[in-house]
Amino acid sequence: MKAAERFDLGGGRVRLIKGSGRVKLAAVGDVMLGGAVGDSIAKRGPMHVFRAVKPLLADCEIVFGNLEAALTDTQCRHPLIRHRPRLAPTIAVEALRDAGFTVVSLANNHIFDCLDEGLAQTVKLLRHHGIDYAGAGADISEARTPAYIAAGGIQLGLLAYTYPVHQVASSKSPGCAPNDPKMMLEDVRRVKSRVDHVVVSLHTGPDVGRDFFFYPSLARQAICRNLLAAGATAILCHHCHVPQGIEVYRGGVIAHGLGTSIADTTDWYLRSATAPYSEYIDKGLILVFEFDHDSLIGFEIHPTFIADDLAVQPIHGRRRRQFLEFMGTISEPLYDLDTLRRSLPSPTLAAKLNRLAMKARTVGVYQLAKEVLQDATRSVADRLVLPRRMAALQRRLQKSSTRIPVHPELRRWKAMKQQSRMKRNDFES
């Protein structure tokens, strides 16, 4: 297979090589179970959220999503975040369990909105309900620990990373694994030596200078391609809250944006999206991958939308065909760097002013002016105050009495290391 090869996405099913897969993995986009979604869960029950797509997920041995909100009832709040904390009621974990989720990424810009208390409660709930996780933990070592999953005789390792500096773990404090290119490449190579396939969840941030965009930056595309070259089989990107293109490279797949699986579509942030992105903030992808021991056999695209009752619904018929054609359109520039470069936001002042004008028409001049003033004030404050506030936050976390459960894979690794040390001591004695 060529390094990069185009495939027709129009039918929703892509076969990369001949054969039949032994394991299916379903991957969905951002899962935000708070706000009005949490209210809906309290009213209709947790099974309501994914009921319509549950049969599709049930056909897969592994079901993955980006859990972009702590499952917690704590009142603890992150002192450095600029947004209203995103958190979900603890009962929302039952929506994940009922839908068949087996593993989630905790590496994103909201899982630490309630600091270590929110993270600890989330991890406990996930483990109690048999759902594995990756991307966050009590320190950087645990945050970089993959979730190892065995299914159909195939071993798969899942790694997860995110971008916000105030969410990142250190050697002495909890948080998420950072999307540092060198670190990610090291982890992929290390995990690949132990498993048949490595899947990477990458929470990207506004890498083109804005959220709600259909294309990745050239830098992010290069990082994702390097991860595939290092041994990963699939890269699953999140954060842009609208679908982005799908790229086949070196026999692997990069889903540059899985969109939103479930979220409160009345949230002011999602409603701030301008056209044409405003038409897609309620859209997401369920990508179903088929693996054998050595290769990715292929994948299927199942588009979804968030219904008025805040439940995930599959897109059918003519709308499905139109959506798949749209996916093909936004995927085409990924194979030509010059075309992709021209598709990215213009950095000129005129283009930026035009984008501001479009946003003003969406959210109102007063709200836009308020946001611009707040951003300018915070930008200056960040340069002057953020280093000291970050240091204070690290000291606070290190002194915290909250205990985040040790990742099960890290516990097994430590036990094996201890046994190896004991055997060596017995031999030497």
Side-chain angles (χ1 to χ4, degrees):
M1 177 175 287
K2 300 175 183 177
E5 188 168 346
R6 292 172 171 83
F7 283 86
D8 180 16
L9 303 181
R13 183 182 176 94
V14 173
R15 306 300 294 179
L16 301 179
I17 61 174
K18 293 181 179 180
S20 59
R22 299 185 60 176
V23 170
K24 287 185 178 181
L25 179 151
V28 310
D30 300 318
V31 176
M32 306 182 76
L33 297 169
V37 179
D39 297 338
S40 177
I41 288 173
K43 178 181 178 181
R44 299 181 173 92
M47 288 65 172
H48 170 73
V49 179
F50 296 104
R51 181 177 289 127
V53 295
K54 185 177 176 180
L56 171 62
L57 301 179
D59 191 43
C60 302
E61 291 82 1
I62 306 169
V63 180
F64 163 83
N66 172 43
L67 182 58
E68 196 160 1
L71 305 170
T72 183
D73 54 17
T74 181
Q75 298 300 309
C76 182
R77 298 292 181 265
H78 198 301
L80 301 185
I81 61 173
R82 298 180 175 185
H83 51 261
R84 174 176 58 82
R86 265 60 170 188
L87 63 157
T90 55
I91 192 178
V93 71
E94 296 182 18
L96 299 173
R97 181 191 62 184
D98 179 72
F101 281 87
T102 56
V103 61
V104 296
S105 167
L106 300 182
N108 52 67
N109 64 324
H110 290 302
I111 199 66
F112 213 53
D113 281 7
C114 300
L115 290 180
D116 50 341
E117 292 184 19
L119 178 59
Q121 192 170 13
T122 302
V123 169
K124 289 176 183 177
L125 284 168
L126 291 172
R127 290 177 58 178
H128 178 72
H129 289 84
I131 302 172
D132 208 342
Y133 62 92
D139 55 34
I140 188 62
S141 177
E142 289 197 30
R144 293 175 66 181
T145 300
Y148 287 110
I149 307 154
I154 291 176
Q155 293 284 337
L156 185 144
L158 186 131
L159 293 157
Y161 307 89
T162 190
Y163 73 94
V165 65
H166 58 268
Q167 305 267 18
V168 169
S170 72
S171 60
K172 298 180 180 179
S173 62
C176 301
N179 56 8
D180 174 81
K182 182 180 179 181
M183 182 182 295
M184 292 191 293
L185 287 170
E186 289 176 355
D187 291 347
V188 167
R189 294 186 181 110
R190 170 174 54 86
V191 175
K192 178 59 179 175
S193 66
R194 306 175 186 176
V195 300
D196 300 305
H197 295 284
V198 178
V199 175
V200 179
S201 172
L202 185 58
H203 193 264
T204 62
D207 62 324
V208 295
R210 55 175 294 180
D211 294 326
F212 311 121
F213 201 69
F214 296 140
Y215 302 100
S217 67
L218 295 172
R220 197 224 301 174
Q221 184 190 46
I223 290 171
C224 291
R225 287 184 169 189
N226 287 340
L227 292 173
L228 291 183
T233 303
I235 314 296
L236 309 172
C237 297
H238 313 278
H239 178 77
C240 50
H241 291 291
V242 294
Q244 291 191 346
I246 298 173
E247 178 180 3
V248 177
Y249 183 79
R250 286 181 175 265
V253 171
I254 307 168
H256 284 285
L258 288 170
T260 304
S261 176
I262 185 67
D264 177 2
T265 50
T266 67
D267 185 272
W268 69 268
Y269 169 70
L270 293 179
R271 292 181 65 184
S272 70
T274 58
Y277 313 107
S278 54
E279 300 175 21
Y280 291 91
I281 58 170
D282 62 341
K283 305 296 192 302
L285 309 175
I286 299 178
L287 281 188
V288 177
F289 297 92
E290 291 186 48
F291 300 94
D292 66 11
H293 271 294
D294 302 317
S295 305
L296 177 62
I297 302 297
F299 61 93
E300 290 186 62
I301 307 170
H302 300 274
T304 63
F305 73 102
I306 303 169
D308 292 340
D309 61 354
L310 296 176
V312 183
Q313 295 284 343
I315 299 176
H316 294 299
R318 179 176 56 84
R319 292 176 60 208
R320 180 180 185 274
R321 291 192 297 273
Q322 290 174 340
F323 186 92
L324 291 173
E325 289 174 2
F326 163 76
M327 288 300 302
T329 299
I330 63 173
S331 297
E332 189 67 21
L334 299 172
Y335 297 96
D336 187 303
L337 293 185
D338 289 334
T339 303
L340 179 58
R341 187 179 291 108
R342 290 193 298 270
S343 302
L344 297 177
S346 172
T348 65
L349 178 59
K352 291 179 179 178
L353 290 175
N354 183 56
R355 290 195 290 271
L356 283 175
M358 290 179 62
K359 187 170 183 179
R361 289 193 291 271
T362 302
V363 302
V365 175
Y366 174 77
Q367 178 63 27
L368 177 62
K370 183 179 177 182
E371 290 181 24
V372 171
L373 181 59
Q374 288 176 341
D375 286 345
T377 303
R378 286 168 178 159
S379 179
V380 174
D382 283 353
R383 292 177 180 273
L384 300 176
V385 181
L386 185 59
R388 282 179 291 175
R389 295 181 70 190
M390 282 291 296
L393 174 61
Q394 290 291 319
R395 290 192 297 269
R396 172 179 170 180
L397 291 172
Q398 291 168 25
K399 293 178 180 179
S400 173
S401 60
T402 301
R403 295 184 62 84
I404 299 173
V406 177
H407 194 288
E409 294 299 337
L410 197 63
R411 182 185 289 112
R412 282 194 283 270
W413 180 81
K414 288 180 177 178
M416 291 173 59
K417 190 175 181 181
Q418 180 66 22
Q419 290 175 1
S420 177
R421 186 182 297 112
M422 292 172 62
K423 289 180 180 178
R424 186 170 62 252
N425 290 342
D426 291 343
F427 176 80
E428 292 174 352
S429 62

